[in-house]
Amino acid sequence: MQENRKFSFVNRLKSFKHAFNGLRLFFVNEHNGRVHLFAAVIVIGLSFYFELSGHEWIAILFAISAVIVTEIINSSIEQLADMVSPGFHPKIKIVKDLAAAAVLFAAFLAVAIGLIIFLPKLFRIIG
């Protein structure tokens, strides 16, 4: 068990450095990370264009975060699984499939939220 250490502002800053490095690694090395970032930028641009309400912004930001967070966790699980078991293993496949399913579920949620918010606004423009 780890001994109780005094609070260190420097150590807290180092933990942020590691977290930001993780974000950098995710968006630079993971293709799906860049796809989700691109989609997020488009949705945020549409959100500004349609002047979303505060509640709509909360829903959109929640949906974007859910997708990106689950994709980061999925990527982490895949990296660890590949290190632990470089070859095919049926149990590792199950773990990877479950992690991917979490991303898929979050993406479906994000699409549903986007449709609920943006479709009425698009229909008003179209006529």
Side-chain angles (χ1 to χ4, degrees):
M1 199 161 135
Q2 215 176 20
E3 65 183 70
N4 288 334
R5 289 186 266 163
K6 291 184 179 181
F7 175 82
S8 166
F9 189 71
V10 172
N11 286 340
R12 296 298 57 87
L13 287 177
K14 284 180 185 177
S15 69
F16 277 100
K17 178 182 171 188
H18 297 304
F20 281 113
N21 185 54
L23 283 175
R24 183 188 63 76
L25 289 169
F26 175 69
F27 289 118
V28 168
N29 296 328
E30 297 294 330
H31 175 75
N32 287 342
R34 293 188 300 276
V35 169
H36 294 307
L37 181 61
F38 177 76
V41 168
I42 296 297
V43 169
I44 288 171
L46 287 171
S47 299
F48 279 113
Y49 177 77
F50 286 116
E51 298 177 349
L52 299 188
S53 71
H55 290 101
E56 290 170 327
W57 269 105
I58 290 168
I60 292 295
L61 293 176
F62 173 80
I64 290 169
S65 297
V67 172
I68 291 175
V69 166
T70 54
E71 187 65 60
I72 289 170
I73 293 169
N74 178 50
S75 296
S76 300
I77 290 169
E78 286 182 355
Q79 291 287 326
L80 183 60
D82 289 344
M83 186 186 79
V84 170
S85 181
F88 176 80
H89 192 285
K91 296 272 186 184
I92 294 292
K93 180 185 182 322
I94 292 170
V95 169
K96 287 182 167 186
D97 288 352
L98 289 170
V103 178
L104 183 64
F105 192 83
F108 284 158
L109 171 69
V111 168
I113 289 170
L115 291 174
I116 290 167
I117 291 173
F118 291 116
L119 276 183
K121 297 172 186 326
L122 288 171
F123 287 149
R124 268 181 278 192
I125 289 176
I126 295 169

